[in-house]
Amino acid sequence: MTRSKDLRAIGQCLETTRIDAFELENQAGSYLIRSRSITPTSHWIIKNSFLEVLSDEGGSDQANNPFRGGEGWLQYESRILSRLDAHGQKKRRGYLPSHAQPAGKPSQYLRTLGEHLDRVGVSAFTISWHHPYSVTVSYKSSDGRSEQRTFSFDKLHELGFHMRFRRARQNG
């Protein structure tokens, strides 16, 4: 699965608790999120929504739950994000097409960042999310160079619009 889909799935989970400041780091096969906003209550909400996805697929065995987290942190394994993304797609089917959906959701912004990272071809990255101010992405390109970019949410909205337009042209 692409980083754009991984990050969108993570964003969908974060939307349920309105976590507005976090650090997201990709690690070998997983994503680690750290935030002071991840309280025991928000952790419980995310964990239970995650278990709902597993039970919808007939796999609610809590002992084999790949969700990890605690107060101040969450970890998502890449192998489970495709299931979260598929669940999110199923929920979105009754809504407007992606190019007509209102902007401003963390899942949409994270997908845009993921598409940018996929396009640039990064090997590792960290996202510092400080809504409503900005998002900073630090990454290592495939040739080993370290780079950092800061995006305003207006700029992310614009970048997302261009990427949706590009996808529509490719699919159309």
Side-chain angles (χ1 to χ4, degrees), residues 123-141:
S123 59
F125 65 90
T126 301
I127 296 172
S128 299
W129 183 277
H130 302 285
H131 193 269
Y133 307 108
S134 65
V135 175
T136 301
V137 183
S138 304
Y139 58 89
K140 226 174 229 199
S141 60

Side-chain angles (χ1 to χ4, degrees), residues 90-109:
K90 200 182 324 178
K91 286 173 66 175
R92 287 189 302 274
R93 280 196 187 117
Y95 298 113
L96 296 170
S98 63
H99 64 276
Q101 290 183 3
K105 291 179 138 186
S107 59
Q108 292 166 326
Y109 288 140

Side-chain angles (χ1 to χ4, degrees), residues 21-155:
F22 59 87
E23 297 280 324
L24 184 150
E25 177 183 348
N26 82 316
Q27 301 177 332
S30 69
Y31 295 86
L32 178 65
I33 300 165
R34 292 183 195 96
S35 174
R36 287 182 250 212
S37 301
I38 301 172
T39 64
T41 302
S42 60
H43 177 264
W44 181 88
I45 291 168
I46 291 172
K47 179 180 179 181
N48 283 315
S49 65
F50 186 80
L51 289 172
E52 177 186 324
V53 169
L54 292 177
S55 68
D56 285 351
E57 296 178 355
S60 62
D61 179 10
Q62 196 158 350
N64 293 319
N65 181 1
F67 176 80
R68 304 281 180 259
E71 189 168 348
W73 68 280
L74 300 167
Q75 186 171 14
Y76 293 90
E77 294 179 22
S78 289
R79 66 182 176 87
I80 206 66
L81 289 172
S82 61
R83 292 165 74 181
L84 290 170
D85 185 58
H87 183 75
Q89 282 180 352
K90 200 182 324 178
K91 286 173 66 175
R92 287 189 302 274
R93 280 196 187 117
Y95 298 113
L96 296 170
S98 63
H99 64 276
Q101 290 183 3
K105 291 179 138 186
S107 59
Q108 292 166 326
Y109 288 140
L110 283 169
R111 180 181 185 180
T112 297
L113 287 171
E115 286 179 333
H116 174 71
L117 294 169
D118 287 338
R119 194 170 41 84
V120 172
V122 304
S123 59
F125 65 90
T126 301
I127 296 172
S128 299
W129 183 277
H130 302 285
H131 193 269
Y133 307 108
S134 65
V135 175
T136 301
V137 183
S138 304
Y139 58 89
K140 226 174 229 199
S141 60
S142 54
D143 63 3
R145 288 182 298 129
S146 294
E147 297 193 33
Q148 183 172 328
R149 281 198 66 189
T150 299
F151 298 92
S152 68
F153 284 92
D154 287 341
K155 185 66 176 172

